């Protein structure tokens, strides 16, 4: 009996485990959404949000949220604002805010940005694009928005 007990302890405690248990979080499906203009934006203004799980270095899993916008007016057309930012959130739970960067090509400016720090088990239910004064951090009107029903 002592031999069996000794061998059991030896196998379970002293020898390294040969199994590699992975703590993978269930994959959520890729999600995309068209951001629609508010009454503050021109009717041609649109955006798209792409939300999906990524695996980073050291087996770190996160949700990536990226936003790309087109046909937005210059932020200064809304007042003393220098750029745009995204606010994505789950009401009364959590929010994420990140800046959009301008890219001008052929005289047309698009604004894009992304955030790879969202928990892999969370997905925002609301996404909005608003103006921001990058110096004072004062935010302005929302120009694009979308409420996500299934994501």
């Amino acid at each position: 009996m002592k031999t069996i007990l000794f061998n059991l302890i030896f196998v379970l405690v002293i020898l390294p485990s040969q199994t590699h248990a992975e703590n993978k979080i269930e994959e959520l499906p890729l999600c995309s959404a068209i951001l629609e203009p508010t009454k503050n934006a021109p009717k041609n203004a649109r955006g798209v949000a792409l939300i999906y799980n990524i695996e980073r270095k050291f087996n770190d899993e996160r949700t990536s949220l990226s936003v790309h916008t087109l046909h937005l007016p210059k932020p200064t057309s809304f007042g003393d604002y220098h750029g745009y930012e995204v606010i994505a959130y789950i009401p009364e739970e959590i929010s994420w805010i990140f800046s959009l960067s301008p890219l001008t090509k052929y005289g047309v400016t698009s604004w894009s940005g992304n955030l790879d720090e969202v928990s892999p088990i969370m997905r925002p239910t609301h996404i909005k694009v608003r103006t921001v004064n990058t110096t004072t951090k004062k935010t302005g009107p929302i120009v694009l928005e979308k409420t996500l029903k299934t994501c």
Side-chain angles (χ1 to χ4, degrees):
M1 181 69 171
K2 286 184 181 180
T3 305
I4 293 174
L5 187 58
F6 175 77
N7 287 336
L8 184 61
I9 292 173
F10 182 78
V11 168
L12 295 176
V13 177
I14 298 175
L15 290 178
S17 174
Q18 297 300 313
T19 61
H20 298 286
E22 293 189 25
N23 189 15
K24 290 273 185 186
I25 295 173
E26 183 179 325
E27 284 285 321
L28 294 174
L30 178 131
C31 178
S32 61
I34 303 296
L35 306 178
E36 299 291 338
T38 65
K39 62 181 171 136
N40 299 315
K43 65 179 181 177
N44 286 340
R46 293 288 187 281
V48 64
L50 179 62
I51 306 166
Y52 66 102
N53 283 7
I54 60 170
E55 188 172 318
R56 301 188 308 180
K57 294 179 182 177
F58 310 112
N59 288 333
D60 181 24
E61 294 181 354
R62 292 290 173 188
T63 295
S64 176
L65 169 60
S66 60
V67 172
H68 177 79
T69 67
L70 294 167
H71 304 291
L72 290 179
K74 292 181 179 180
T76 54
S77 69
F78 295 102
D80 188 23
Y81 303 105
H82 308 107
Y84 290 100
E85 70 180 11
V86 172
I87 178 166
Y89 61 97
I90 301 170
E92 299 180 25
E93 192 170 337
I94 191 167
S95 63
W96 303 273
I97 298 174
F98 60 94
S99 298
L100 297 179
S101 300
L103 173 64
T104 302
K105 191 171 186 179
Y106 305 115
V108 178
T109 301
S110 61
W111 295 79
S112 299
N114 73 300
L115 179 67
D116 289 342
E117 300 299 326
V118 179
S119 170
I121 59 171
M122 296 184 141
R123 295 283 172 97
T125 58
H126 295 75
I127 300 175
K128 298 181 180 191
V129 175
R130 65 186 179 194
T131 56
V132 64
N133 181 312
T134 55
T135 305
T136 65
K137 305 298 183 204
K138 179 183 172 197
T139 59
I142 294 167
V143 293
L144 299 174
E145 65 183 345
K146 182 69 172 189
T147 299
L148 307 170
K149 299 196 184 331
T150 57
C151 207

